[in-house]
Amino acid sequence: MANHTNSTVVFAYHSVGVRCIKTLLARGVQIDLVVSHEDNPNETIWFESVADLCTEHGIKRITPENPASPELFEQIKALAPDFIFSFYYRHMLPTNILALAKRGAYNLHGSLLPKYRGRVPVNWAVLHGETETGATLHEMAAKPDAGGIIAQTAVPILPDDTAYEVFGKLTVAAEQILWFALPALLDGTAKLLTNDLSKGSYFGGRKPEDGRIDWSLPAQQVYNLHRAVAPPYPGAFTEVGGNTYVIGKARLVESVASNNTANLPQGLSVVDNVIFGGCGDGRALQIIELLMNGKVVSASSLQQQLAAQ
């Protein structure tokens, strides 16, 4: 479906931003401006680049620090866009900018709204042990993730999925939603579903410190924390003898008796040259990859460290 009459401003970052911009282009949408972020040198950049995509397609891209600046408002006002889209842009857009979109302003959010409104919804869903999440295309409003819903697609969270793996599924779901929703948005026949905030929840951002492991918790909770923040996110970590160890890969030990893990102390242990993390309910995680300063730690060197305590 080609339609070059729909002038659009896109706020975008991350892989979802890249896939959704590609989807708009494939549907013939005219993108007059992309507003994005400069990459943070302190962040692991594991995702696709909106900057590279804009360069490739000759789309004007700017990276203002504050989306509420009068300069940005005037720049978008001059473009008189039909639509404004936000795809994993990291700031709330002010209502005066949203009002500039003559035919609507829409956001792609990484949860099944109204659940997990707010920041890093994939990580929160994995942390809470959800078995599914999804992506939602919705109208933008003054409150975050609060506008009417255009469409949703669910994806499974398998028992051993990390947030990184789930994010990959959501990137595909976002592309699918936008592809199938765009014709109705463009011809004005899209229907809005109610986004009942009373049935949902709002979550803030997470800091690396939130990855500190409390080994007194049940093993499933510790495992969920690991999955929620596993690399390329900062990782779940623990400290031994002044050293910080990050869990790179792990799995939940299903049966205590058959794995020589009965009566393990809480925290890191080495049994038969295998690293375990003992938890508060008597179960354990088998730690397949343990990292210190980004390097893999062997079971023998950890055993020496533990013996020195």
Side-chain angles (χ1 to χ4, degrees), residues 79-139:
L79 293 170
D82 292 296
F83 294 98
I84 290 175
F85 288 102
S86 179
F87 305 128
Y88 267 70
Y89 186 71
R90 291 178 171 180
H91 299 313
M92 281 289 293
L93 301 187
T95 52
N96 66 338
I97 281 187
L98 300 182
L100 293 174
K102 297 193 290 286
R103 301 187 57 201
Y106 300 95
N107 176 55
L108 205 300
H109 183 72
S111 79
L112 294 174
L113 290 177
K115 294 183 79 171
Y116 298 103
R117 294 169 53 230
R119 302 295 300 278
V120 295
V122 174
N123 307 76
W124 282 115
V126 174
L127 183 74
H128 283 95
E130 300 284 359
T131 56
E132 72 169 20
T133 186
T136 303
L137 182 67
H138 66 95
E139 270 193 323

Side-chain angles (χ1 to χ4, degrees), residues 224-237:
N224 288 348
L225 173 64
H226 154 64
R227 296 191 303 124
V229 298
Y233 297 104
F237 70 92

Side-chain angles (χ1 to χ4, degrees), residues 181-195:
L182 268 172
L185 280 178
L186 297 178
D187 68 21
T189 60
K191 301 284 194 296
L192 283 178
L193 306 172
T194 302
N195 187 4

Side-chain angles (χ1 to χ4, degrees), residues 277-295:
C279 301
D281 58 354
R283 298 178 69 198
L285 271 61
Q286 179 181 336
I287 299 172
I288 298 162
E289 183 181 79
L290 190 67
L291 306 168
M292 186 173 71
N293 298 324
K295 294 186 171 61

Side-chain angles (χ1 to χ4, degrees), residues 139-156:
E139 270 193 323
M140 283 189 273
K143 277 187 175 180
D145 312 317
I149 292 168
I150 293 287
Q152 294 183 307
T153 295
V155 301

Side-chain angles (χ1 to χ4, degrees), residues 32-94:
D32 293 320
L33 178 68
V34 168
V35 185
S36 191
H37 306 284
E38 295 295 347
D39 291 337
N40 181 345
N42 299 317
E43 183 177 352
T44 302
I45 306 297
W46 52 267
F47 39 82
E48 294 181 85
S49 169
V50 165
D52 290 350
L53 180 66
C54 289
T55 300
E56 181 185 335
H57 286 274
I59 301 169
K60 183 176 181 181
R61 169 184 159 271
I62 58 173
T63 56
E65 286 189 18
N66 182 4
S69 71
E71 295 81 11
L72 181 61
F73 174 82
E74 291 300 330
Q75 194 166 357
I76 294 175
K77 183 181 178 183
L79 293 170
D82 292 296
F83 294 98
I84 290 175
F85 288 102
S86 179
F87 305 128
Y88 267 70
Y89 186 71
R90 291 178 171 180
H91 299 313
M92 281 289 293
L93 301 187

